[in-house]
Each structure stands twice: as structure tokens, then as C-alpha cells.
């Protein structure tokens, strides 16, 4: 049966006649408006959607939304005469409308749905990782009359409150009433919801007073859920109830505190997640509550889902990036039936379009991640929303003064920014960290992504990012001019690193090449202080590609020169796999730096560019370029006439001589470089600490020319000086060269120590170039253990990192020689290890039984080594030829080869190949 009429205060609504009367007088409200009002009052206190109201007023017709809004305005005007605004129609953004106020039906039984049950909802899912929080909340509820669980949307406030209710009721025997305020929009509506939840009778005019009287002698815990959007009204109600009753306690959930006397704030933290970069197994991952929850939720979606060793680490990263938020994790787990963890991880930057499959029965604000954050954002004041958007430029932590520099303008004062920061933190949209000297702020990642999206949707993005880039440049400049300890500088660099990345990303995105160039120049300091060399290289290349060649000022040319020079040095230091042609890339960038240094008359930068080009030629084993650029260094040093330039020139000239197999001349240049170093303060002008680098070269030259013990002593000294100096690239270089020289000599244990040090540094500093030398070092150590030497082996299947890597490994063991390297060496027979390449080819033929070919290549190796006074290579070539004669059963020829060798080097110290010679002689 239908209701004959509704009454509320002085109003009567007749659904049959479609009339609205006040004090018996019919009001000028049309039939459609009455139909809309009937639909609202039939479900007083509940949200009625826009579609439902359109269906009620315009059944069967398709009309524009504006028609409904016109009639809502007319109804509000008609109801405005009610006492103290007791009755109203309020808008619930993105959901619909609510009629607020007590309504009494008169007449036959209603055909509308029965009132909602206000029994405490059951918790249907497992509560993960909240045991400690639940215990602390229980203590708080027992000790305080007002407790508010505070946290961002989706953090699990309601779930914890429901668990606390169950324990509180069981333990204390206290009556508990749960009141969901998610659809409440006014003080009257809140009172009505509470009135219904308490199952009180009557139609009081003053609902608040009626509730207070009803509760005056009851001991009861009122759980007020979802208070944030009506926080002021809830605060007033709570303050009134607790001051006028003795047995009423309040447990509230909200995204911000109530701020009433006696309130105990209970912040709810995210679920426990693995730290950044954690390496997990399937078993260890399940120690984290966030992963436990994901696994349980995903398992409900897909029987095939499981946490295992293959996906555990990536799943940990997903949960961490979702801020340990139960709602976000639940929504992410809902994708497990259509998406792998790897796919999910890749799409997290688009999380608001991906995490959309919430439960149909969930509150609208919890059905998608977007809705959860919209709920908080829509409740902000215009000023707070503006501040939140502009703060979206920050990728990580920021201080209050940073926020003021970006956010404040002619419309918003610095004090206004501070006030908004406090409000955003209170509303769980910002987190505050007090661990440092000054408080710092940051968004959780989801909030940060949301704020940035809102900024990009606004007309304010370009101006906000312009201020952010300028602010970042000022901070970089201040750090670069600071006189402080290395540790303090490093700490300050670490603080600004993420801001520099974000500022550079925006400058590239907006094609602002000049700002991008200034940011790269300003970052030269911390690219050395922090472990970001590879990243610096990639960003520098991206920036340099944007620069127009015909639109530069002198200032821009200076910036470009500095960035080119530094990027080329960083490429040389890191030798990354991308770009794959990094040797060519070093050449092109350093040549540009050289061109600009000459144009701008900057001799220091010219020397730096020439040094980089020379070492690049060394790395690429390009003897022609090595001689050309090395000569350029020497010529410039003679013009500059300073000792630093001359010591660098002598060092690089020594390398040129070394590469041409002029080992004695190389030692003399090293001696001159060391003499000059003793006269001046050593520096790092060539990206390496000078003295140990020179001693490494001297060690190699001495050993090859037959001064084995002296060469090893020099390498030991290079290690000691490098470790004392602590310049990491130098230590890594000395460790790598030490591995090689010690393996030449047969000192396996010392070589293994150097290899271990090199590998530790490669791993610790995440240097891709250093890491690419590690596998070949392991292979060489394995092949030379147990007294084995560089003989009698087939080719090793391997790929060198750079040509100089191929040369070094071939000199360690002939198995590393490749035919493609021989083609390169044949055009430069004066190369420092040409003899070893020819001998390696001969050994491969000898192993395969091709005697004629073996003798051809080994004889060539012996001839080259003798012509270059390379005693170490001569010993090996002689041994290889003796092995060939053993195969040919020519014992007298074997003795004729080896007996003079043993007489010439009677002491075996420093070269295990000589001991091998006596072994062969003994077997003849």
C-alpha cells in the first residue's frame, strides 16, 4: 500500500495529489518537483541518485540533468521557511541528493523498503598486520572517552574500528552502536542517523536534546565512522554528548582529528612493507603484512596466483609503492586474474586508471582508488586544494620554506601556505617527519601522483614547475658554493637529488633546453658525490640533443662545454651498456667540449677534453687516436707550462709508448710524471688519483720487459696508495689491473683478492662498466688455478666489453684470444700485446692439431716479442714453440729453446712461466 502523506515539521507532502503544504497552505510547487520530493523523503537520510530522481520526476523520458537541478533549487526555496533550516536537500558530490530531517509517514503501511539495520557490520576479510595496533587501540578506548582513528583514505580505519568493537564488547560487556556517516551531509542528518541507530522512538523537534536525554543513564560506545566530510558537525555533537552524559564514549574514524577536548588521536600507519630494493624469496615475502594481504586477496580472485621466488621482490615493490594502503592493495590484487605482477608494476604510474575493480558492495568512495582520493580532495577548501596541487611538483620530501617558494604568489601568502600545510597534514593528505633538525613533509606516493595529475589538469602547471625549477637551481647553486665537509655536502646532495630529477624531467618534457642545461651543469657536483653517474650520462645526452646549434648565447656555450666535458668523463668512468656505442659517444661529446673550450679560450676545459679523448682511445684500443690526442695533451701542456699539465702529459705519453710496445720509454715517462707529482699536490684531473694510476702503468711496463719482481712491487705500492687515497674509481682501476698483473705472475691468491675488491666496488657503486669485467675475471682465475698456465687450450666462448678488455684478457690467458682481434692487431703489430694475440692463435691451432698453422703464428709471436724487448711475451712464445717441438718429438730442439731461457732468468720469482719451462725440460 502507498503512504497517504508525509509530515516533517510544518510541512505536509501528499504523494497522491502531488501537493506540498505548509501549515495547511498549499505551496507553489509543481507536480514534477513533488515527485522528486516524494522520492527523497521516502528514503530520508539516504542518498538518492540523480538517475533515480530523474526516473521519479520524468518517468520514461530522457531529459538533461539541468532539469533536475532546477527543481531541486525550487524545492530548497520552498523548504527554506522551516525553523532554523531544519529540513534541507543536500548534494552529495558524484552520488546524488539527500533529504535531511525527521519524516513521519501518516496513513497505511509504507511500500518503501524497511529501515536499514544498524547492527554492527561483520568484518568479512582478514585483518592483516594490525595485532599491535588493535591492542593499543583497545587500551586507548579503555582509558579515554573520545578516541579518533586518523589516517588517509583506504588505510583500514573502519576495519580496525570494527575489530576493536568486537573486542570491547566481549571484554567490557559494553553496549556498542555503529553509525555510518558516509552519506551524512548536515548536523541534522547526523543526529537523524544516530537517532535511528539507537532505535529511539518518537518524532522530537529537538533531536539532539532527545538523544542526550536517552543516553544520560546508559553506558555505551558510539562508533562514528567516516566523519571527515562532516567533521565540524560531528565534533559539535561529540563535545555535547560527552559533556552532558557520563557513560557515553566515542570511537570515531576520520581522515582528520575532531579537535575536541579530551580527544585521544590514534594515527593508523600503513601495513608493513619491504624496504626499497629488498631481495625477497616467496617465503621471506610473507613476513610482510602488505604482501600477506595481497596474496590473500589475489587468491580469492585467481586460483593460479601464488607468491614465489620469481615474483616476491617485485610484489614487495608494488606493495611499497602502494604505500601499504589496504584499499590500494585490495584493488591491485583484483587485477591478478588479468595481469601479472610484472605488468601491474609497470602500470602503477597509471594507477588511477588501473585500480578500479573494487567490490560492488563497497562504499562508492572505496570502489576505485580515484574515488577514495577524490573523497578527500573534494572536501578541501579552494585554498587547500590549490596548495595540494602545487605541491605535486615535489617528488619526495620538502621543507616548509620549499613549499612556500613554490606555492606562495600574489594571491596566497607565506602564512597561508603554512596554514594549508598544517591542514593537509591534519587531513592525512601529507605526512610529517620530525626526525631531522627541521620538520619535513611528503605525500604518500598515491597522493603525490594524484596531486600531480590535478596540477597537470589545471592552468597552473607551467607556472608552478617554473618556480620549482628556479628554486631547485638556487638550492644547487647554494650547495655548490658551500664550504663544508664531504659528508655534509653528500647529505645535502642526497636531499636535493629527487627534486633535481623532477625538475630536469619537466624541463625536457617542456623542451626548455636552457633550463635543462643549467640543471645538468648544477648537478656536476653531486654526480660525483652520489652514485648517479650512469643516470647523469643519460640525462646529459638527452639534454644535449635538445640544444639548437644556432640559438646559443655565450652563457649557454659555457654551460654546454661544462656538461659535455663532464658527461664524457662519466661515460668513460661507467662504460654503460646503453648507449651500446659508448666509445663513439665519448668521442663525439668530448670533441664538442674540445671545440667549445677552444672557442671560449678555456684551457683547463681544453686539457680535460683532451685527456678524456686520450683515455677513450686507450679504452677502445685505438692506437692512432691515442697518439694524436696524447700529442695534443703534450702540446697544450707546453703552452700552459704548469706542473699539473706536464705530469698528466707524461702519464698519457707513457701510455702511448706502452701501447706501441716501447716499454722502456713508458717507464721513463712514468718516472717523470711521478717526479712532477712529488713537486705538487696530487689531484684528480684525469678522473683518477694520479700517483697510483701512474704506478699501475709502470708496474705493467716493468713486468712485460722482464723486471718481474720490480713490477710486482710497484703494483703492491699502487694498491696501498689507492686504498689510502680512497678515490673509488682509482681503487677499482688499480684492483682490475692488479688482478691482471698478479695473474701474469701466477700469484693466484693475490689476484683473487684484487678481483674480490673490484667486484665489491662494482656491486656497491652499481657501475655497469666495472661489472662487465667481473665474469671474465672469474673465468681467468678458474683456468689458472692449481698451477695451470696460459697454454694448451681451445678458444673460450666470450664477449669482451671493449677492445682493451679483449687485449687484457688475451694477455692473461690465450683462451680469450678471438680471430676478430687478430684482424685488428695485424694492422698494428707494434701493439703492446700483439705477440700474445699471435701466440693465442697459434695455441688454438696447436690444440686442434694444425701444426703448420700453429708454428706460423707462434713464430710470429716470438719474432714480435724479441723485436719489442718484451721479455715476458718472449718467454711465453718460446714455451709455446717448445710445446710444439714436444708434439713433434724434437727433444733437442726443445732443449735448444729452453736451456738459454732458464740460464737467462735463473730466478723464477715473479713469473710462474719460468717454472713451467723447467718442467718441460725435465720431461725431455
Amino acid at each position: 500500500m502507498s503512504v497517504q502523506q508525509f509530515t516533517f515539521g510544518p510541512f505536509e507532502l501528499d504523494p497522491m495529489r502531488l501537493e506540498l503544504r505548509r501549515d495547511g497552505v498549499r505551496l507553489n510547487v509543481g507536480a514534477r518537483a513533488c515527485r522528486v520530493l516524494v522520492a527523497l523523503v521516502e528514503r530520508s537520510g539516504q542518498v538518492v541518485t540523480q538517475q533515480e530522481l530523474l526516473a521519479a520526476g520524468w518517468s520514461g523520458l530522457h531529459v538533461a540533468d539541468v532539469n533536475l537541478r532546477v527543481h531541486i533549487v525550487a524545492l530548497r526555496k520552498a523548504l527554506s521557511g522551516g525553523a532554523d533550516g531544519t529540513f534541507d536537500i543536500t548534494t552529495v558530490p558524484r552520488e546524488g541528493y539527500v533529504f535531511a530531517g525527521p519524516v513521519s509517514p501518516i496513513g497505511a503501511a509504507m511500500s518503501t523498503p524497511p529501515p536499514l539495520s544498524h547492527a554492527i557490520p561483520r568484518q568479512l576479510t582478514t585483518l592483516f598486520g594490525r595485532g599491535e595496533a588493535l591492542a593499543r587501540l583497545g587500551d586507548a578506548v579503555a582509558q579515554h572517552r573520545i578516541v579518533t582513528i586518523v589516517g588517509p583514505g583506504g588505510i583500514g580505519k573502519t576495519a580496525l574500528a570494527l575489530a576493536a568493537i568486537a573486542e570491547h564488547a566481549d571484554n567490557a560487556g559494553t553496549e556498542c552502536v555503529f553509525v555510518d556517516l558516509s552519506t551524512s551531509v548536515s548536523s541534522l542528518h547526523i543526529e537523524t542517523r544516530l537517532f535511528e541507530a539507537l532505535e529511539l522512538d518518537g518524532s522530537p523537534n529537538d533531536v539532539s536534546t532527545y538523544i542526550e536525554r536517552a543516553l544520560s543513564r546508559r553506558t555505551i560506545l558510539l562508533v562514528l565512522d567516516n566523519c571527515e566530510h562532516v567533521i565540524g558537525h560531528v565534533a559539535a555533537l561529540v563535545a555535547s554528548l560527552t559533556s552532558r552524559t557520563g557513560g557515553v564514549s566515542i570511537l570515531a574514524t576520520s581522515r582528520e582529528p575532531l579537535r575536541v577536548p579530551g580527544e585521544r588521536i590514534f594515527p593508523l600507519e600503513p601495513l608493513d612493507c619491504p624496504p626499497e630494493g629488498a631481495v625477497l624469496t616467496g617465503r621471506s615475502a610473507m613476513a610482510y603484512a602488505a604482501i600477506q594481504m595481497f596474496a590473500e586477496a589475489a587468491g580469492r580472485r585467481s586460483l593460479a596466483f601464488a607468491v614465489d621466488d620469481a615474483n616476491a621482490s617485485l610484489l614487495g615493490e608494488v606493495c611499497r609503492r602502494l604505500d601499504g594502503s589496504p584499499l590500494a592493495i585490495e584493488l591491485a590484487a583484483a587485477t591478478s586474474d588479468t595481469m601479472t605482477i610484472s605488468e601491474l608494476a609497470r602500470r602503477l604510474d597509471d594507477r588511477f586508471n588501473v585500480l578500479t575493480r573494487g567490490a560492488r558492495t563497497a562504499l562508492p568512495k572505496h570502489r576505485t582508488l580515484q574515488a577514495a582520493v577524490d573523497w578527500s580532495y573534494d572536501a578541501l577548501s579552494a585554498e587547500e586544494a590549490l596548495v595540494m596541487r602545487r605541491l605535486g611538483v615535489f617528488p619526495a620530501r620538502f621543507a616548509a620554506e620549499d613549499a612556500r617558494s613554490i606555492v606562495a604568489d600574489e594571491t596566497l601568502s607565506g602564512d597561508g601556505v603554512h596554514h594549508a600545510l598544517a591542514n593537509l597534514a591534519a587531513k592525512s593528505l601529507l605526512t610529517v617527519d620530525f626526525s631531522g633538525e627541521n620538520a619535513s613533509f611528503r605525500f604518500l606516493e598515491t597522493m603525490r601522483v594524484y596531486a600531480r595529475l590535478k596540477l597537470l589538469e589545471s592552468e597552473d602547471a607551467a607556472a608552478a614547475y617554473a618556480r620549482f625549477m628556479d628554486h631547485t637551481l638556487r638550492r644547487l647553486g647554494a650547495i655548490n658554493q658551500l664550504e663544508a665537509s664531504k659528508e655534509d655536502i653528500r647529505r645535502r646532495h642526497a636531499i636535493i637529488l629527487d627534486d633535481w630529477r623532477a625538475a630536469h624531467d619537466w624541463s625536457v618534457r617542456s623542451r626548455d633546453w636552457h633550463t635543462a642545461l643549467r640543471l645538468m651543469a648544477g648537478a656536476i657536483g653531486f654526480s660525483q658525490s652520489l652514485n648517479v653517474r650512469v643516470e647523469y650520462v643519460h640525462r646529459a645526452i638527452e639534454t644535449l640533443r635538445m640544444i639548437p646549434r644556432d640559438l646559443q648565447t655565450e652563457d649557454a656555450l659555457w654551460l654546454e662545454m661544462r656538461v659535455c666535458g663532464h658527461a664524457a668523463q662519466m661515460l668513460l668512468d661507467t662504460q654503460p651498456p646503453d648507449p651500446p656505442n659508448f666509445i663513439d659517444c665519448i668521442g663525439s661529446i668530448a670533441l664538442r667540449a674540445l671545440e667549445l673550450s677552444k672557442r671560449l679560450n678555456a684551457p683547463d676545459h681544453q686539457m680535460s677534453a683532451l685527456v678524456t679523448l686520450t683515455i677513450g682511445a686507450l679504452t677502445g684500443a685505438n692506437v692512432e687516436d691515442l697518439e694524436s690526442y696524447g700529442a695534443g695533451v703534450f702540446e697544450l701542456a707546453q703552452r700552459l707550462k704548469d706542473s699539473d699539465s706536464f705530469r698528466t702529459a707524461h702519464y698519457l705519453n707513457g701510455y702511448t709508448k706502452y701501447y706501441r710496445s716501447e716499454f722502456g720509454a713508458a717507464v721513463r715517462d712514468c718516472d717523470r710524471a711521478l717526479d712532477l707529482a712529488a713537486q705538487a699536490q696530487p689531484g684528480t684531473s684525469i678522473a683518477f688519483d694520479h700517483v697510483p694510476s701512474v704506478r699501475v702503468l709502470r708496474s705493467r711496463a716493468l713486468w712485460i720487459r722482464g723486471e718481474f719482481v720490480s713490477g710486482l712491487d710497484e703494483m703492491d705500492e699502487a694498491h696501498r696508495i689507492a686504498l689510502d687515497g680512497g678515490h673509488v674509481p682509482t681503487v677499482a682501476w688499480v684492483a682490475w689491473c692488479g688482478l691482471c698483473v698478479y695473474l701474469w705472475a701466477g700469484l693466484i691468491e693475490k689476484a683473487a683478492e684484487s678481483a674480490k675488491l673490484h667486484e665489491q666496488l662494482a656491486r656497491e657503486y652499481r657501475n655497469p662498466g666495472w661489472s662487465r669485467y667481473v665474469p671474465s675475471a672469474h673465468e681467468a682465475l678458474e683456468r689458472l688455478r692449481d698451477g695451470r698456465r696460459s697454454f694448451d687450450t681451445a678458444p673460450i666462448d666470450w664477449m669482451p666489453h671493449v677492445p682493451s678488455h679483449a687485449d687484457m684478457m688475451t694477455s692473461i690467458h690465450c683462451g680469450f684470444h678471438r680471430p676478430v682481434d687478430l684482424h685488428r692487431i695485424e694492422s698494428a703489430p707494434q701493439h703492446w700485446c700483439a705477440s700474445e694475440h699471435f701466440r693465442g692463435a697459434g695455441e688454438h691451432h696447436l690444440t686442434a692439431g694444425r701444426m703448420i698453422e700453429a708454428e706460423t703464428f707462434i713464430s710470429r709471436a716470438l719474432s714480435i716479442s724479441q723485436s719489442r724487448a718484451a721479455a715476458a711475451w718472449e718467454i711465453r712464445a718460446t714455451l709455446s714453440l717448445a710445446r710444439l717441438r714436444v708434439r713433434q718429438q724434437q727433444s733437442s730442439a726443445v732443449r735448444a729453446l729452453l736451456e738459454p731461457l732458464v740460464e737467462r732468468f735463473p730466478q723464477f720469482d715473479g713469473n710462474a712461466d719460468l717454472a713451467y719451462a723447467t718442467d718441460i725440460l725435465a720431461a725431455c
Side-chain angles (χ1 to χ4, degrees), residues 416-495:
V417 174
H418 281 278
H419 182 70
L421 285 174
N423 286 345
L424 291 172
K427 295 176 180 181
S428 304
L429 293 171
L430 276 178
T431 62
V432 189
D433 182 3
F434 295 100
S435 61
E437 182 178 344
N438 298 309
S440 63
F441 302 84
R442 73 177 180 91
F443 286 117
L444 295 178
E445 183 168 337
T446 294
M447 294 299 181
R448 179 184 61 76
V449 171
Y450 183 90
R452 186 170 186 271
L453 288 174
K454 285 295 183 182
L455 176 63
L456 295 178
E457 290 171 0
S458 73
E459 298 178 353
D460 201 25
Y465 268 103
R467 290 193 294 269
F468 176 64
M469 291 188 295
D470 287 344
H471 181 63
T472 302
L473 284 166
R474 287 194 299 272
R475 291 170 64 201
L476 278 172
I479 295 172
N480 291 336
Q481 295 173 10
L482 191 67
E483 293 184 5
S485 67
K486 286 185 178 180
E487 195 55 42
D488 187 38
I489 294 293
R490 181 181 176 85
R491 181 182 61 81
R492 292 172 185 269
H493 281 158
I495 291 172

Side-chain angles (χ1 to χ4, degrees), residues 462-654:
Y465 268 103
R467 290 193 294 269
F468 176 64
M469 291 188 295
D470 287 344
H471 181 63
T472 302
L473 284 166
R474 287 194 299 272
R475 291 170 64 201
L476 278 172
I479 295 172
N480 291 336
Q481 295 173 10
L482 191 67
E483 293 184 5
S485 67
K486 286 185 178 180
E487 195 55 42
D488 187 38
I489 294 293
R490 181 181 176 85
R491 181 182 61 81
R492 292 172 185 269
H493 281 158
I495 291 172
I496 201 175
L497 176 60
D498 286 331
D499 287 352
W500 170 74
R501 286 168 169 154
H504 186 260
D505 285 343
W506 182 264
S507 67
V508 171
R509 170 176 173 162
S510 58
R511 307 301 295 174
D512 183 356
W513 64 266
H514 191 260
T515 300
L517 197 58
R518 291 172 64 201
L519 286 163
M520 295 308 302
I524 287 174
F526 74 61
S527 70
Q528 296 170 326
S529 169
L530 303 176
N531 187 23
V532 292
R533 289 175 170 84
V534 175
E535 179 181 356
Y536 185 93
V537 166
H538 290 158
R539 289 183 179 275
I541 291 172
E542 188 175 32
T543 300
L544 294 172
R545 286 172 178 164
M546 290 196 301
I547 300 175
R549 288 286 173 252
D550 56 345
L551 296 175
Q552 294 189 58
T553 63
E554 183 170 329
D555 171 65
L557 292 173
W558 273 94
L559 290 171
E560 184 184 0
M561 177 185 66
R562 292 178 60 208
V563 173
C564 281
H566 189 65
Q569 286 185 10
M570 293 297 98
L571 262 173
L572 194 59
D573 180 27
T574 57
Q575 302 180 17
D578 181 28
N581 59 334
F582 77 90
I583 295 288
D584 294 337
C585 195
I586 290 171
S588 61
I589 296 176
L591 280 172
R592 176 62 177 168
L594 181 62
E595 173 196 341
L596 291 172
S597 66
K598 292 178 179 178
R599 179 175 173 182
L600 297 169
N601 191 26
D604 289 346
H605 289 278
Q606 186 177 344
M607 175 62 78
S608 178
L610 281 168
V611 168
T612 300
L613 287 164
T614 306
I615 300 179
L618 285 171
T619 306
N622 188 324
V623 179
E624 183 179 348
D625 282 351
L626 174 60
E627 292 178 345
S628 173
Y629 295 133
V633 171
F634 221 98
E635 180 184 338
L636 181 59
Q638 289 176 324
R639 287 203 343 251
L640 296 176
K641 291 183 170 53
D642 66 87
S643 60
D644 282 354
S645 297
F646 271 120
R647 66 188 174 93
T648 299
H650 278 291
Y651 168 60
L652 295 178
N653 195 53

Side-chain angles (χ1 to χ4, degrees), residues 81 132 238 245 271 288 300 347 540 579 774 777 809 830 868 892:
E132 182 181 344
V238 168
T245 64
L271 294 179
Y288 296 95
R300 286 189 268 113
R347 296 197 61 190
V774 170
M809 296 312 299
Q830 77 277 20
R868 297 296 175 183
S892 59

Side-chain angles (χ1 to χ4, degrees), residues 822-830:
L822 190 60
H823 296 318
R824 172 170 56 87
I825 294 300
E826 282 179 329
S827 64
Q830 77 277 20

Side-chain angles (χ1 to χ4, degrees), residues 93 117 142 184 220 385 407 441 485 493 514 557 617 659 757 853 860:
S117 170
S184 300
I220 189 170
V407 176
F441 302 84
S485 67
H493 281 158
H514 191 260
L557 292 173
Y659 257 75
L757 174 59
E853 292 86 348
R860 180 86 181 272

Side-chain angles (χ1 to χ4, degrees), residues 265-288:
I265 300 172
F266 190 91
L268 186 56
E269 299 296 325
L271 294 179
D272 186 30
C273 293
E276 185 174 3
V279 178
L280 304 174
T281 64
R283 184 171 183 177
S284 65
M286 296 306 291
Y288 296 95

